[in-house]
Amino acid sequence: MDFQDFLRHKFTHVAMGEFKPGKFEAAKQLYEEAVLTYTKGFKGAYLLQEPGTDRGISIIFWESIEDMEANQNEVYQHILKKMMPLFVEPPKTVVYELVCEINPKEIDEV
C-alpha cells in the first residue's frame, strides 16, 4: 500500500425503502441474487431491516462510482425489475463518499 491508496475513498450506494406487507423476505432473496452478480470494485453489502416492519436500508460499498455503474448490467436490471413491484413506493437512493472509516482494534486473545 502506498500513499495514494490512503487518498482514495470508497463510495456507497444507499437505498431506503418500505416493502409491501410480508414482502421483505422475497425482496431479501432478490437482493442477495443481485449482489452475487457484482464483480470489479465491489467491496461489500449490508441489508438492514427495521425490526417488526417491512422497512429497510441497503448499503453497498464500491471502490469507485465507475465500478458501481459498470455492475448495473443486464442481469442486475432484470433482478431489479422483479424487485420493484415489492416496494410500497420506489426507494430513495443516494450515493455517498466514505470519508471516515473506524474499525475496532484487534484484541489479542488471552
Side-chain angles (χ1 to χ4, degrees):
M1 207 190 269
D2 67 13
F3 182 71
Q4 289 299 320
D5 291 327
F6 290 104
L7 297 179
R8 286 193 319 211
H9 293 216
K10 291 182 222 166
F11 291 84
T12 60
H13 179 271
V14 178
M16 296 168 274
E18 182 173 359
F19 294 100
K20 293 175 181 171
K23 298 296 183 184
F24 197 96
E25 187 59 36
K28 177 182 163 247
Q29 291 173 1
L30 290 169
Y31 178 84
E32 290 170 352
E33 259 184 70
V35 168
L36 290 174
T37 70
Y38 299 153
T39 56
K40 182 179 181 288
F42 172 65
K43 296 298 180 187
Y46 295 90
L47 180 61
L48 311 174
Q49 181 178 14
E50 186 178 322
T53 75
D54 287 298
R55 289 188 294 268
I57 300 172
S58 162
I59 304 170
I60 303 172
F61 292 89
W62 296 99
E63 188 68 35
S64 70
I65 290 175
E66 293 78 19
D67 290 336
M68 178 183 70
E69 291 170 349
N71 278 276
Q72 294 178 359
N73 58 34
E74 194 174 308
V75 175
Y76 167 86
Q77 292 298 330
H78 177 72
I79 295 168
L80 191 61
K81 267 187 184 173
K82 288 170 38 178
M83 187 184 290
M84 289 309 288
L86 302 177
F87 284 101
V88 170
E89 60 184 47
K92 178 183 177 190
T93 61
V94 182
V95 173
Y96 291 96
E97 183 175 8
L98 178 64
V99 296
C100 181
E101 183 174 358
I102 302 169
N103 294 307
K105 294 180 183 179
E106 290 185 28
I107 300 173
D108 294 328
E109 291 190 28
V110 185

